[in-house]
Amino acid sequence: MRNARKLLEHVKESASCFTTYKQRKLIFKGEIFDGYEFNKFLSNVKFVVNKMSFSELYLDFYYKKVADDSIIVNLEIIIAMLFESGINTIFIDFKKLDINDSKIGYLGNSIISKCGKILRKNKFLDEYYSEFTIFRNTLRYYIKDKTRNEKMNSRILYDIITWVIADKNIDRKIIGNFAKAVVEIADNMRHSDSDCIVSIKSNPLINVVDRKTYYSLSVCVVNIGDIFIYTPLENSIKNNNLIGSTKNIVEKAMPIHEKFYNENYNLDRFCMVTVFQNSVTTNNVNDYGGNGLPYFIKVLIENSNFNNCYLISGSNVLFFKEHYISLNNGVVSFNKECCYYDKPPDPEVFKDAPTFYPGTMYNLEFIIKENIWKLLY
């Protein structure tokens, strides 16, 4: 992936998990493979890339659980980067997880699982750079920056998503809404200068309360580069070249929000919540903006339990939390008061990222109920 090495720029180089040059092995131990453990992984990979030179590498993981799909998507990005840096074979072993078991979720439906425990450079990179891949219950779409056409990619992505989940017992309108929401997220990243990965995993769930079937649709959208989700708006503010609705919204809200700035809330984070407002642009000063991100919020509110739903950009994590998010007439609020203009986001909404993320990444989970009428007919 273009700019993949940027993931290593903000981590401290470490050999804490490296064995010896002869063994060529990195060993990682812990309960959950989450963002903090991934930061440790990046630090040790940085050591290997900067200090070592060999054709084979061994990766041993002793985690009992993978936190979410974003971990696996970014792990695959780093593996591809390692292959492109000169390594030809990677022996990967999750000691306490079966990479071939699709029921374990994120790992069992990955390119890693598809390629097996011995990852060969050519085979892995062929799978990794495939524009469109379906494996088990996972769809993966790779959008290359240099061939990027927003309208074309939106249409293709919309059609693929609709086709893949059309065989589920879900109302067609809900399928369309979900597909459009994912497309809006991917399209919103068109201001960046890098490739984009969209990963969607589908798993049936049985509700223990009503005994009905629901579908968990885990979505991860990744874009790595120098531009964060808040960068275009923040630059327009600093350069005093806001226009249209964006200018009206910022000039109304910003003087009030500036009074709430503290160690947990600043201009970056003000811009992050502001880009979700209706008619605010995240592209350039000649763009009057649209309603793509508010539409995504609408679908998320209607079809999510808000389990592990978040956005990372730079050093900021924006959590989509059930009791702190609302949409009213195109105004998206991130507080209990349901008020964007006069109240700051709740302190629970923003956290510091476990590792600096160069670009923007969404990790989301939609829960969609099975359509009983489609089952009957």
Side-chain angles (χ1 to χ4, degrees), residues 196-261:
C196 179
I197 295 175
V198 179
S199 173
I200 303 173
K201 292 178 171 58
S202 171
N203 283 298
L205 304 171
I206 303 296
N207 190 308
V208 296
V209 178
D210 60 18
R211 305 305 301 170
K212 293 181 180 178
T213 301
Y214 293 76
Y215 286 95
S216 166
L217 300 174
S218 299
V219 178
C220 182
V221 184
V222 173
N223 179 271
I224 299 175
D226 294 319
I227 300 177
F228 310 105
I229 190 172
Y230 51 83
T231 302
L233 178 58
E234 188 169 304
N235 287 343
S236 294
I237 292 173
K238 291 179 177 178
N239 296 328
N240 196 28
N241 57 2
L242 295 165
I243 63 171
S245 299
T246 302
K247 181 178 181 180
N248 296 335
I249 291 170
V250 170
E251 289 184 346
K252 180 179 178 181
M254 190 170 174
I256 299 173
H257 280 248
E258 284 179 322
K259 299 175 183 178
F260 300 112
Y261 284 179

Side-chain angles (χ1 to χ4, degrees), residues 311-360:
L311 155 68
I312 297 182
S313 195
S315 60
N316 312 287
V317 184
L318 170 60
F319 288 97
F320 302 106
K321 290 179 173 284
E322 182 176 8
H323 300 296
Y324 303 111
I325 188 169
S326 62
L327 173 64
N328 186 18
N329 295 324
V331 178
V332 179
S333 305
F334 292 89
N335 48 49
K336 290 181 178 179
E337 295 84 1
C338 302
C339 180
Y340 160 72
Y341 284 103
D342 298 323
K343 298 290 183 179
D346 191 272
E348 293 296 315
V349 169
F350 278 110
K351 301 293 181 183
D352 293 335
T355 186
F356 186 92
Y357 202 86
T360 301

Side-chain angles (χ1 to χ4, degrees), residues 1-3 143-155 157 180-198 221-232 246 275 279-294 359-362:
M1 187 178 194
R2 285 186 59 198
N3 301 323
I143 306 172
K144 294 182 179 179
D145 174 64
K146 63 181 180 180
T147 59
R148 213 158 167 184
N149 177 298
E150 285 77 39
K151 291 184 178 180
M152 179 189 72
N153 283 318
S154 295
R155 184 69 255 175
L157 181 56
K180 183 179 177 183
V182 176
V183 167
E184 294 293 356
I185 297 172
D187 263 3
N188 184 253
M189 293 182 175
R190 66 183 183 272
H191 57 257
S192 183
D193 58 348
S194 183
D195 304 341
C196 179
I197 295 175
V198 179
V221 184
V222 173
N223 179 271
I224 299 175
D226 294 319
I227 300 177
F228 310 105
I229 190 172
Y230 51 83
T231 302
T246 302
V275 299
S279 299
V280 170
T281 179
T282 57
N283 296 295
N284 59 64
V285 295
N286 296 317
D287 189 337
Y288 278 80
N291 63 356
L293 289 182
T360 301
M361 177 180 71
Y362 286 85

